[in-house]
Amino acid sequence: MPDLSINFAGIKSPNPFWLASAPPTNSGYQVMKAFDAGWGGAVWKTLGVPVVNVSSRYGGVNYRDKRLVGFNNIELISDRPLADNLREIEEVKKHFPHHAVIASLMVQSRQEWHDIVRDVTNAGADGIELNFGCPHGMCERGMGSAVGQEPEVLRTIVEWVMEVARIPVIVKLTPNISDITEPARAARAGGADAISLINTIQSIVGVDLDKFAPYPIVDGKGTNGGYCGPAVKPIALNMVKNCAQDPDVRLPISGIGGIENWRDAVEHILLGASSVQVCTAAMHFGFGIIREMTAGLEQYMTEKGFSTIYDMVGKALPNVKHWEDLNLKYKVTAHINEDKCIGCQLCYTACEDGAHQAIRLQEGTRTPAIIEENCVGCNLCSLVCPVEQCITMERTDDATQHRTWKERTAANDIPVTFNDERAGGLHHWVPEPAAALGKERHKTLPGKARALGSPQAARLPAPAESQS
Amino acid sequence: MAEYPTPTTAQDFAANFAQIKPLMSNTEALYESSRCLFCFDAPCIKACPSGIDIPQFIRQINSGNTTGAAKTIYEANYFGNACGKVCPTEVLCEGACVYNLNEQKPIEIGRLQSHATRKVIDSGQKLFGPGAANGRKVAVIGAGPAGISAACELRALGYEVDVFEARAQPSGLTLYGVAPYKITNEETLAEMDYLEQQFGYRVHYNQRISSREDLQRLEDGYDAIFLGIGLGATNALLLPGEERQHCVGAVEFIEQLRTEQQHVAVGRKVVVLGGGNTAMDAASESARMGAEDVVLAYRRGKDEMGAYEFEYDLAKSVGVKGLFNVAPVEIIGNGKVEGVRFIRTATVDGQVQVVPGSEFVESCDMVIKATGQSKQTGFLHLIPGLQLDGKGRIVADARTGQTTNPKYFASGDALNGGAEVVNAAAEAKQTARGIHGFLSGN
């Protein structure tokens, strides 16, 4: 049985799954219920001077029939008095002494920081998270992401906090910045114990086509919010990786962004996170999702032979390289498994219109064929194919050669002029432009109705080809 | 034993004939449309006789443009709502869905189609209208799928159109011949109302065109005449006892069922003769009307039945029993039907042969003959120069629908010998273009 427990910068937790600072951690009731369900830790809804919120606070991005692949909010930090929160933190810690309760904080002056750090420490919090990430509402008041976007200010505030902090301090970073490692380095310079990322991404999740207003709509108006949910995972993973690989950051990372199952969590961990935080998935499905997350993580660790979380933290980092270090001699080619093909021809039209015209249709069958010499190994066909393992990318080089862009640059073997002989696509066949005209009109404008044309335009009967 | 109680009220009838393709809610339509792969050169389009751009309308439903979806459907097929419900989608669009090849459920194309079209029918949204008047007039005989489709298309092309219908209501077999669990009368008529309001053709009900004089009037008053007359009554079996009470034709039985519903009486034990889709319908309907036993008797083997497999499955699911390789010899009884004398058959070299000495009597109190419909050759012979083929079908140009009398054009069952609503709708649209080509000199 693998050991799921962690010691994150001094904060101990029975498993790496924490609830992120957000609506699910708004009260002691919710946090207790989450711990009861199996969550290892919770970052309390951000404390500070209580706010006043608007009604209509969340917006969703649905993809076809899938709800909330993206989610945004315009809610602010806790609107409850500090004393109530402190009392509840104390009560939670009484019931769950071995679970992690981290107080998220957002205030302005040095004195306020000192006061609130002392208050939450006295209440029994195991750690502190500085909310330098909130990208809506609070940033306009000089807090949240306004701090996260100014490394010098961030560092100063971290220093204020560290003057009085007796428990570990995590700095939560905003992704609304061009280089995430800059605030991460500032956090380290200020003396923080760890970082967490990403906070939400500034966003408009949609526009009401009838009311001409962005979601969520508050009395006919809206504002930018903070974006999260499954859609942001790729952005989060990249930023976690950037911080984990930066030699000047070297802080434990709590990974946040798009985590809703064990697999998402493992990805964050493999790229350097040693705890993970979840919000949207808990808001969507409730605390019960923790069952699947812990069970999946345990099974994965067992199968891989990892006995602790730390056996896997950052394990994918050595394989995340700069583009210039990738092997240009490696070559894969698409392969269609004819027994599995169902003939949707999405691969054909994707390659034809969106890639390199390396798939052709065949007479007498709906199964397309790969034109190997045209296939650049881009993966597109295998990505659009709706059948599992129908299109596979097969290695076609002999695995003996290795040559990177960096090596070619050093050897003076790269294209340097506009019409350089060394252009990668120079010898790759492309069709003549005019060959596109009318090529597939009868297939992309289909149906007898199209062949007949609109009644108003009718002059001649249907062309003969429509009958074939 | 009866699986269905005999219906005595409209509610009972509706329950016994619950729609097998019920209307989808918006949520169900969203989920189902989300599954569509948007295949390139989609097989479903090719499998649709009317060539509806199916991936397009499904994508339109999915992107919240149900009105656009309805437009896509109606542009190809004026019986869009009816076809979504009554088409044998299992062997057409849905049968061609690539999901079948992955052993996944095909997209419920028919139900999505009805969902989209029903929305505009219910809202009465104006999507189409007559084209600029071109001063020409066309008479349409028959307000069935062929006639109404031709009328819509001709109106869109700017013709004045008069439709002459022998019955009291439009849509032909959609109303009078389709099993009630496939489509309700209300739905059928709602679509007809919608089309009439959109295109503004005139339908003259209870006006059977049956004499040379009737035809002469049309020939004199119109630039072209469209024949959408369908088929006639059930073929006689020419068996002794066929005249006995409670020995009825399937087409007549179904028509009565559609118009009189729960007021139709069926026998306690019903024998249905035939192996086609109409036989399956009549058998299913008898069972749903409360018959205790329904036997489907067919002179060849089960696998040789003309009916679609899913139609036989549907009949079996309501308790219909198959009796194969039997040929009726006599309808026995005393005034009323009391049974059918059968003789067993064997198929030798593709020929059905009777097995001597194998006669037996299957007792019953009702016989439904589903042995095909006759052609309306008597009427058609009133049209000068109109040629029929050996099976009594109208001979016409495959592309234009023009018959051997250049003023007459034809589509639907009278031309194709009997097919689906969708075939008639598709043919008639094309024939309307044929009429247009002829009259505009192209």
Side-chain angles (χ1 to χ4, degrees):
Chain A
M1 192 76 158
D3 178 7
L4 298 192
S5 71
I6 56 167
N7 181 341
F8 181 86
I11 303 169
K12 290 180 183 159
S13 170
N15 64 49
F17 298 109
W18 297 352
L19 287 170
S21 172
T25 58
N26 188 50
S27 65
Y29 168 84
Q30 288 163 292
V31 173
M32 289 247 235
K33 201 173 171 202
F35 287 172
D36 226 18
W39 291 83
V43 186
W44 211 272
K45 173 97 176 163
T46 303
L47 306 174
V49 176
V51 299
V52 176
N53 274 309
V54 291
S55 181
S56 185
R57 302 179 190 179
Y58 308 136
V61 174
N62 300 337
Y63 179 73
R64 294 190 173 188
D65 59 339
K66 295 292 175 287
R67 298 206 155 248
L68 301 190
V69 296
F71 184 73
N72 94 341
N73 81 89
I74 56 169
E75 193 177 284
L76 306 180
I77 66 171
S78 180
D79 57 5
R80 306 175 63 215
L82 181 63
D84 292 356
N85 283 300
L86 294 174
R87 193 176 59 246
E88 291 178 12
I89 288 172
E90 213 173 322
E91 196 179 334
V92 171
K93 279 308 296 181
K94 249 181 237 158
H95 279 89
F96 293 95
H98 304 299
H99 284 58
V101 173
I102 295 106
S104 173
L105 306 178
M106 186 196 289
V107 290
Q108 281 180 299
S109 70
R110 184 179 180 185
Q111 190 57 51
E112 282 176 329
W113 280 108
H114 283 183
D115 291 345
I116 201 163
V117 165
R118 286 196 188 96
D119 286 344
V120 298
T121 306
N122 290 337
D126 301 288
I128 291 165
E129 185 179 82
L130 310 184
N131 182 345
F132 295 157
C134 182
H136 51 88
M138 305 309 290
C139 50
E140 293 92 326
R141 305 175 196 177
M143 294 182 278
S145 63
V147 175
Q149 287 165 340
E150 295 292 342
E152 280 309 308
V153 178
L154 182 149
R155 177 181 167 166
T156 302
I157 296 178
V158 172
E159 284 169 354
W160 292 348
V161 169
M162 298 317 291
E163 287 165 2
V164 295
R166 288 183 285 109
I167 53 178
V169 173
I170 308 166
V171 172
K172 185 166 180 176
L173 303 178
T174 176
N176 300 296
I177 186 164
S178 47
D179 181 0
I180 192 74
T181 61
E182 283 187 28
R185 282 189 227 118
R188 178 178 180 82
D193 300 293
I195 52 176
S196 58
L197 65 151
I198 57 173
N199 204 313
T200 55
I201 303 167
Q202 211 165 48
S203 63
I204 286 178
V205 283
V207 179
D208 189 298
L209 302 188
D210 300 312
K211 295 175 181 161
F212 308 112
Y215 296 119
I217 299 175
V218 181
D219 194 15
K221 314 286 181 199
T223 186
N224 55 279
Y227 194 46
C228 54
V232 311
K233 185 181 77 174
I235 297 162
L237 289 176
N238 183 53
M239 290 187 167
V240 166
K241 175 270 294 181
N242 284 346
C243 290
Q245 284 187 333
D246 191 300
D248 297 327
V249 175
R250 283 179 292 122
L251 289 174
I253 298 169
S254 186
I256 312 168
I259 298 171
E260 77 167 37
N261 61 36
W262 70 273
R263 188 175 285 275
D264 304 320
V266 168
E267 288 176 317
H268 270 266
I269 293 169
L270 293 176
L271 289 173
S274 49
S275 87
V276 292
Q277 298 186 28
V278 177
C279 168
T280 309
M283 291 180 74
H284 192 169
F285 304 108
F287 296 137
I289 56 167
I290 189 64
R291 302 196 301 277
E292 178 276 330
M293 297 175 100
T294 45
L297 180 61
E298 255 172 26
Q299 187 177 325
Y300 174 77
M301 290 175 68
T302 304
E303 284 169 9
K304 293 289 171 193
F306 299 141
S307 47
T308 77
I309 298 292
Y310 299 96
D311 291 344
M312 54 192 278
V313 171
K315 206 162 171 62
L317 288 173
N319 294 325
V320 186
K321 297 293 205 185
H322 291 299
W323 190 93
E324 61 179 11
D325 294 319
L326 301 178
N327 183 9
L328 296 169
K329 294 289 185 186
Y330 176 77
K331 170 98 174 110
V332 289
T333 304
H335 175 81
I336 298 174
N337 184 334
E338 289 177 16
D339 294 338
K340 292 192 173 181
C341 177
I342 59 174
C344 69
Q345 299 186 350
L346 286 177
C347 58
Y348 166 74
T349 197
C351 185
E352 176 74 12
D353 295 354
H356 295 86
Q357 301 82 45
I359 300 183
R360 63 182 166 85
L361 299 177
Q362 308 188 94
E363 223 27 70
T365 171
R366 282 193 58 90
T367 302
I370 305 292
I371 306 167
E372 284 218 14
E373 56 273 30
N374 285 5
C375 179
V376 302
C378 72
N379 292 350
L380 180 62
C381 56
S382 69
L383 298 176
V384 301
C385 180
V387 180
E388 203 66 24
Q389 288 296 306
C390 176
I391 300 184
T392 49
M393 303 304 294
E394 313 276 347
R395 185 165 191 176
T396 51
D397 71 310
D398 61 8
T400 59
Q401 288 176 290
H402 192 277
R403 183 90 159 158
T404 66
W405 178 257
K406 192 192 270 173
E407 288 160 353
R408 280 187 61 168
T409 307
N412 215 6
D413 181 27
I414 58 169
V416 288
T417 63
F418 287 141
N419 295 300
D420 203 298
E421 281 291 305
R422 289 164 295 200
L426 182 65
H427 303 294
H428 189 90
W429 176 84
V430 292
E432 288 301 319
L437 299 175
K439 183 182 177 193
E440 277 157 352
R441 177 150 310 180
H442 61 295
K443 291 179 176 178
T444 53
L445 302 175
K448 195 172 279 180
R450 302 294 183 95
L452 288 167
S454 75
Q456 284 74 14
R459 279 292 170 267
L460 290 168
E465 65 162 15
S466 71
Q467 301 302 309
S468 61
Chain B
M1 44 129 254
E3 304 210 356
Y4 289 89
T6 301
T8 57
T9 65
Q11 286 89 332
D12 290 349
F13 185 84
N16 283 14
F17 289 89
Q19 297 297 295
I20 54 175
K21 288 184 182 171
L23 199 60
M24 276 181 171
S25 69
N26 289 346
T27 304
E28 192 177 6
L30 173 69
Y31 276 69
E32 190 61 11
S33 61
S34 295
R35 298 176 58 230
C36 179
L37 295 171
F38 203 71
C39 292
F40 178 77
D41 190 20
C44 53
I45 303 174
K46 293 179 178 171
C48 174
S50 61
I52 297 173
D53 193 345
I54 294 164
Q56 166 81 357
F57 90 68
I58 294 179
R59 204 169 170 81
Q60 288 174 306
I61 291 173
N62 196 248
S63 64
N65 182 11
T66 311
T67 304
K71 196 151 184 265
T72 299
I73 294 161
Y74 278 127
E75 275 172 356
N77 181 343
Y78 293 114
F79 276 61
N81 188 62
C83 283
K85 299 207 72 178
V86 309
C87 261
T89 53
E90 292 86 342
V91 296
L92 297 174
C93 53
E94 293 176 19
C97 178
V98 297
Y99 274 131
N100 291 299
L101 297 171
N102 206 32
E103 279 150 32
Q104 287 174 274
K105 243 168 42 83
I107 305 290
E108 291 195 59
I109 298 168
R111 291 183 66 210
L112 285 167
Q113 182 171 315
S114 297
H115 168 80
T117 46
R118 182 63 179 270
K119 291 264 178 212
V120 296
I121 291 171
D122 285 351
S123 69
Q125 192 165 357
K126 186 87 180 156
L127 293 181
F128 301 97
N134 61 22
R136 294 177 188 273
K137 293 169 71 176
V138 179
V140 171
I141 306 179
I148 295 296
S149 297
C152 293
E153 187 78 356
L154 287 165
R155 286 294 291 149
L157 292 164
Y159 292 84
E160 204 177 315
V161 178
D162 283 299
V163 183
F164 298 91
E165 169 56 45
R167 289 186 166 82
Q169 293 187 301
S171 85
L173 290 183
T174 321
L175 185 72
Y176 292 107
V178 170
Y181 43 78
K182 290 183 183 165
I183 192 166
T184 65
N185 295 3
E186 294 71 31
E187 283 171 293
T188 309
L189 294 174
E191 184 165 52
M192 293 303 103
D193 283 347
Y194 179 71
L195 293 176
E196 198 172 338
Q197 278 164 26
Q198 298 277 308
F199 291 99
Y201 46 80
R202 287 184 296 265
V203 190
H204 308 276
Y205 293 107
N206 303 309
Q207 289 213 26
R208 179 181 289 277
I209 303 298
S210 55
S211 66
R212 182 57 230 162
E213 292 69 40
D214 293 341
L215 288 169
Q216 191 62 49
R217 267 201 308 280
L218 300 186
E219 287 167 16
D220 293 343
Y222 295 89
D223 296 289
I225 299 163
F226 177 90
L227 296 168
I229 61 173
L231 300 173
T234 300
N235 285 320
L237 284 174
L238 307 176
L239 291 179
E242 195 174 345
E243 74 294 342
R244 292 189 203 285
Q245 211 183 334
H246 304 153
C247 175
V248 298
V251 175
E252 292 74 17
F253 170 69
I254 296 170
E255 177 171 342
Q256 194 191 5
L257 189 69
R258 284 297 295 265
T259 47
E260 299 172 22
Q261 305 204 331
Q262 70 274 10
H263 306 297
V264 174
V266 296
R268 300 324 299 156
K269 180 169 179 182
V270 180
V271 170
V272 178
L273 302 174
N277 291 318
T278 306
M280 304 303 136
D281 282 352
S284 279
E285 287 156 356
S286 302
R288 288 170 197 259
M289 285 301 287
E292 284 165 21
D293 285 295
V294 181
V295 172
L296 185 75
Y298 180 55
R299 63 198 187 100
R300 292 173 182 255
K302 183 168 67 177
D303 298 335
E304 294 162 281
M305 287 197 297
Y308 298 123
E309 202 177 327
F310 65 86
E311 295 283 16
Y312 180 51
D313 289 344
L314 193 64
K316 279 194 297 187
S317 75
V318 294
V320 172
K321 290 189 271 301
L323 180 60
F324 298 104
N325 297 305
V326 295
V329 179
E330 183 188 358
I331 311 296
I332 56 176
N334 184 8
K336 292 177 183 170
V337 166
E338 288 172 8
V340 181
R341 186 185 310 281
F342 285 105
I343 186 163
R344 297 197 188 278
T345 65
T347 306
V348 180
D349 298 331
Q351 297 293 314
V352 178
Q353 296 182 356
V354 298
V355 179
S358 65
E359 290 190 14
F360 67 98
V361 172
E362 186 77 18
S363 65
C364 64
D365 53 8
M366 185 176 190
V367 174
I368 301 176
K369 300 176 289 179
T371 45
Q373 284 175 269
S374 61
K375 309 293 187 300
Q376 307 203 53
T377 50
F379 169 72
L380 291 170
H381 281 137
L382 298 175
I383 299 168
L386 188 89
Q387 207 178 315
L388 305 181
D389 71 4
K391 292 177 173 173
R393 296 176 298 197
I394 299 169
V395 173
D397 184 283
R399 196 164 51 80
T400 63
Q402 190 168 33
T403 70
T404 49
N405 177 329
K407 193 157 192 168
Y408 283 85
F409 292 74
S411 294
D413 286 355
L415 180 77
N416 62 34
E420 305 294 340
V421 171
V422 65
N423 299 95
E427 287 170 16
K429 189 178 172 76
Q430 192 162 336
T431 294
R433 294 303 179 85
I435 293 171
H436 183 54
F438 175 67
L439 293 180
S440 58
N442 286 311

